[in-house]
Each structure stands twice: as structure tokens, then as C-alpha cells.
Amino acid sequence: MNLRRFLSLPALLALAASLLLASCATPTSGPVSLYEVRQFADASARIGGYGELSRRYRDTYQREQPYLSPAADRIAKENDARRRAVYDDFVSIQKSLVLYMQTLSLLAGEARYDLSTQLDDLGTGLKANAESGLQGRHIAAYTGLTRLLTRVIASGYQNRSVATMVRDGDGDVQALLEAMITLTRLYAKTNDNEKKTVLGIFDVEIPFSAKNQDRMLVTLAKVHYLNKATEYKLVDKRYDLALQGLTKVAQGHQRMRENLNNLTGDEMRKLLATYGRDLVALRDALSD
């Protein structure tokens, strides 16, 4: 059979049309959705508590000074100097993790970015501090994460991927989150000591001020005591919320590291969405 005769012009047109329709009906692979990764990273970057509690830790002396005896005041001043000396280091840890999460969120999107100016905010390095629990491995993690951020941000999204970022950064991220959890517990312990100092004075003095001429003074003291007790109760809750948030960030990032090849799977997307919602709820609670 003559193939050229068999494939007449009408037949060729019909064949071409059928192939075109078939190609249109064939599903094509669109852009991979990393919305949940961006959602988790954005929520992690915005989680509150740590910065505020760091400032509260730094300013402990300002609040407790009116309640201190002269002898206790001398010791408190020394502690104040030590707290202020390490404050910038403690805050730099948070800045590096926030910038990491912001970069991760942008990597999960399609836009190019320029975060180079934010690198200047990270500082030059940290110092180990035995009293706070900030150890050499935390210092190394901060250095490692800063180098990773410098490399990724300078590349402007060239030849980088979310999986690469998570894989290269997870060890340092986990170490720095551990440091932040340790420091938050230190803040809570310092706040507890402050609470005992401030409220302890009222517990001792009020029962011995029962004279009639002291009645107004005692009444004012009791009101002040109740206000301070309420303040400390609310602050104690903030430490708990901050610790919950940091723990969830660590867990979410670890799960991404464990599922680098399946970040777009339904189960992983649902899990990241849950972490993201939980972090937003914690942030809202800290904002109240």
C-alpha cells in the first residue's frame, strides 16, 4: 500500500487535530506548591515572646531596685552589669533565626529577594557564657548559620532550593533554638527570684504594720502587692507560651529535615499547616 496515498491531506489534518487535542488533555506538571512551607516559615519568623522577655531580663535591676536593701543593692548592680553585657548576644541569636526563616519563606516563593541589609544586623559573633548556658556549640551554630545566610542571600536565589536550605541549616537551627529555650528558662528563673524579692518585702512588712496610723499606708501597700502579684502571674504565662512556640518551631523544622524529598506530600503539607496555625495562635496569645 502506498503510504503517501493513504495519508491524504484531510487525513493528515484530522490526525494533527487529534494529536493536538490529546496533548491539551494530557495534564502538565505545574509549579510545585510550597505554600505551607512559607506559612510555617513566616509564622516562625514572627513568633513573639523571646525578644520581649530578653529585654525584661536585661532590665531586672530597674524593677527590683526600689525594694532592695543597701547590701542587696550592691550585688544586684553587679548582676545588672553582667546581664547588660550579654544582652546583645542573646538578641543576636533571635535575629539570625528570624532572618533564616524569612529567607526560607522567600525561597519557597517565586520572587527574587534582597535581604543583604539585614545581614548587617547580625553582629560579628557571640561569646560563650557559662552562667547563661550559652555554650561553644551554640556559638559555632550561630557562626554556621550566619555563613549559610550570607551565601544564600548573596546568591539571590540562584541555584538554591528549600530542601538545600533546610538540609544545610537544620543542625545550626536546632542548636540555636535549644540555646533560646535555655535562655528563656534562665529569664524565667531570674523573674522568679525578682518576684520573691519584691513580694517578699510585703509578706514580711504588712503583718507588722497593724497600727491605726499605718492603716492608709497598709491599704496602699496591699493594693500595690496585688498589682505586682498579677503582673508576675501574667509574665509567668508568657514564659510558658514563648517556650511552647520555640519548641514548635524546632519540631516543625526537624520534620521538614526528615521529609526533604516529600515536602509537597499531602501529609507533610497538613502537618506544616498545623504547625503554622499553632504558632499564629501562640503569637496572638502573647499579644494579648
Side-chain angles (χ1 to χ4, degrees), residues 8-284:
S8 62
L9 181 59
L12 285 172
L13 291 174
L15 177 61
S18 64
L19 290 174
L20 178 62
L21 289 172
S23 66
C24 292
T26 303
T28 57
S29 58
V32 176
S33 174
L34 288 174
Y35 171 78
E36 290 78 14
V37 174
R38 296 199 303 273
Q39 181 187 40
F40 170 75
D42 287 340
S44 298
R46 295 189 179 102
I47 186 65
Y50 180 83
E52 170 208 341
L53 296 175
S54 297
R55 291 189 295 274
R56 184 176 178 86
Y57 170 77
R58 179 196 63 189
D59 298 336
T60 298
Y61 178 69
Q62 293 180 8
R63 293 186 303 275
E64 67 180 4
Q65 194 275 331
Y67 307 91
L68 298 174
S69 66
D73 185 65
R74 287 192 293 272
I75 298 174
K77 283 181 179 178
E78 295 174 1
N79 291 334
D80 180 57
R82 283 196 289 267
R83 283 191 288 266
R84 292 184 177 278
V86 297
Y87 170 74
D88 287 341
D89 281 358
F90 292 176
V91 172
S92 289
I93 295 174
Q94 181 194 29
K95 288 180 179 179
S96 66
L97 281 166
V98 167
L99 184 55
Y100 171 87
M101 290 298 177
Q102 290 174 337
T103 306
L104 181 62
S105 174
L106 289 168
L107 281 175
E110 298 176 356
R112 297 178 67 87
Y113 60 87
D114 182 10
L115 292 171
S116 55
T117 57
Q118 291 178 248
L119 284 171
D120 299 334
D121 237 8
L122 293 182
T124 56
L126 307 183
K127 300 177 289 296
N129 188 289
E131 293 181 6
S132 70
L134 201 58
Q135 302 174 10
R137 59 194 178 87
H138 300 140
I139 311 304
Y142 175 83
T143 302
L145 194 63
T146 301
R147 287 174 179 167
L148 174 63
L149 287 167
T150 302
R151 189 167 71 248
V152 174
I153 290 173
S155 73
Y157 194 40
Q158 295 172 7
N159 302 318
R160 304 298 303 180
S161 69
V162 169
T164 302
M165 181 84 166
V166 172
R167 184 198 65 207
D168 292 353
D170 183 61
D172 293 336
V173 166
Q174 297 296 338
L176 292 182
L177 283 166
E178 178 194 275
M180 291 174 71
I181 288 172
T182 298
L183 292 172
T184 302
R185 288 174 177 155
L186 170 68
Y187 302 162
K189 182 179 179 181
T190 302
N191 182 72
D192 193 53
N193 291 334
E194 176 193 328
K195 176 171 60 177
K196 290 176 181 177
T197 297
V198 173
L199 299 184
I201 291 178
F202 295 96
D203 291 333
V204 171
E205 296 294 335
I206 289 178
F208 291 98
S209 302
K211 297 178 182 179
N212 289 334
Q213 61 266 34
D214 295 334
R215 184 176 177 183
M216 182 60 71
L217 182 61
V218 170
T219 300
L220 292 173
K222 287 180 178 178
V223 171
H224 186 70
Y225 176 89
L226 290 174
N227 289 336
K228 294 299 291 184
T230 300
E231 173 191 333
Y232 287 120
K233 184 177 180 180
L234 292 174
V235 171
D236 286 341
K237 182 179 179 182
R238 300 182 78 75
Y239 291 114
D240 292 337
L241 291 171
L243 287 170
Q244 289 179 45
L246 293 170
T247 300
K248 284 189 178 293
V249 172
Q251 291 172 345
H253 199 277
Q254 181 180 355
R255 294 303 295 269
M256 283 198 295
R257 175 66 181 86
E258 294 168 350
N259 294 272
L260 286 180
N261 298 323
N262 193 34
L263 290 176
T264 58
D266 288 343
E267 184 177 350
M268 190 61 197
R269 291 175 65 179
K270 289 178 182 177
L271 184 62
L272 284 176
T274 299
Y275 277 121
R277 286 192 298 270
D278 289 347
L279 288 171
V280 170
L282 286 168
R283 184 182 71 214
D284 291 343

